[in-house]
Amino acid sequence: MVLLAFHTVSPGNGNDMAHSRWRPERPIPRTLAHASAVIGLTGGIATGKSTVSSLLRAHNLPIIDADVLARKVVERGTPALAQIVRAFGEDVLLPDGSLDRAKLGRIIFPDEAKRKILNGIVHPAVRRAMFWSILRYWWRGERVCILDVPLLIE
């Protein structure tokens, strides 16, 4: 396993991500001959994750975005969506059979127990999708993979 350190440098007061420059502590290897690395990119809202992710993508590093996967795992026809419907009822579906996120939000946000039920459905599905995404990149010969996961450390 290889660990790389990344930081952002802002020319202003540190709050202006639009003008920030990103640079690695050392050159970013495209592939590593004898090692595999999964690098977690995490942080709260407005901490520069998207900026860093875009810069890493510009270096042709594979990015796995947990937010994107969280939407994919609950698309029509997925096991996770079926579990959500079993847990919260058909009312959480739009007429086309897709998830009504607004309605589900109104159900789960005021009720911690229901939020835990939803997280118990979605989080394992996202972790499985991340695992398979990592394997697909490794099967293609990539040795470095970035996980963009806002809730990696909570």
Side-chain angles (χ1 to χ4, degrees):
M1 184 73 59
V2 173
L3 193 55
L4 299 175
F6 304 103
H7 67 276
T8 57
V9 179
S10 178
N13 61 8
N15 294 325
D16 187 8
M17 288 308 295
H19 299 291
S20 67
R21 291 179 294 118
W22 171 86
R23 65 176 187 250
E25 290 291 319
R26 54 188 169 155
I28 302 171
R30 277 187 94 162
T31 60
L32 300 171
H34 302 292
S36 297
V38 176
I39 301 167
L41 175 59
T42 189
I45 296 171
T47 58
K49 287 184 310 297
S50 295
T51 300
V52 172
S53 184
S54 296
L55 291 165
L56 292 169
R57 189 173 279 114
H59 286 277
N60 297 318
L61 288 169
I63 309 290
I64 299 170
D65 188 328
D67 286 338
V68 171
L69 293 178
R71 290 189 173 274
K72 285 185 179 183
V73 301
V74 296
E75 288 178 346
R76 285 189 326 192
T78 61
L81 182 58
Q83 286 180 288
I84 291 169
V85 170
R86 279 194 299 276
F88 299 102
E90 298 266 338
D91 288 346
V92 298
L93 295 178
L94 293 168
D96 69 357
S98 63
L99 183 61
D100 186 337
R101 293 175 179 282
K103 187 171 280 187
L104 183 59
R106 287 191 298 273
I107 294 169
I108 62 118
F109 286 124
D111 187 329
E112 185 177 347
K114 289 181 180 176
R115 198 166 48 252
K116 284 183 178 181
I117 291 168
L118 179 64
N119 288 342
I121 295 168
V122 175
H123 290 179
V126 171
R127 284 192 295 271
R128 277 190 301 277
M130 287 189 310
F131 172 76
W132 287 108
S133 295
I134 291 166
L135 287 181
R136 276 193 295 279
Y137 280 122
W138 286 352
W139 287 329
R140 293 180 196 158
E142 296 288 348
R143 292 291 164 236
V144 176
C145 184
I146 313 297
L147 288 179
D148 184 343
V149 186
L151 300 177
L152 184 62
I153 300 170
E154 185 177 70

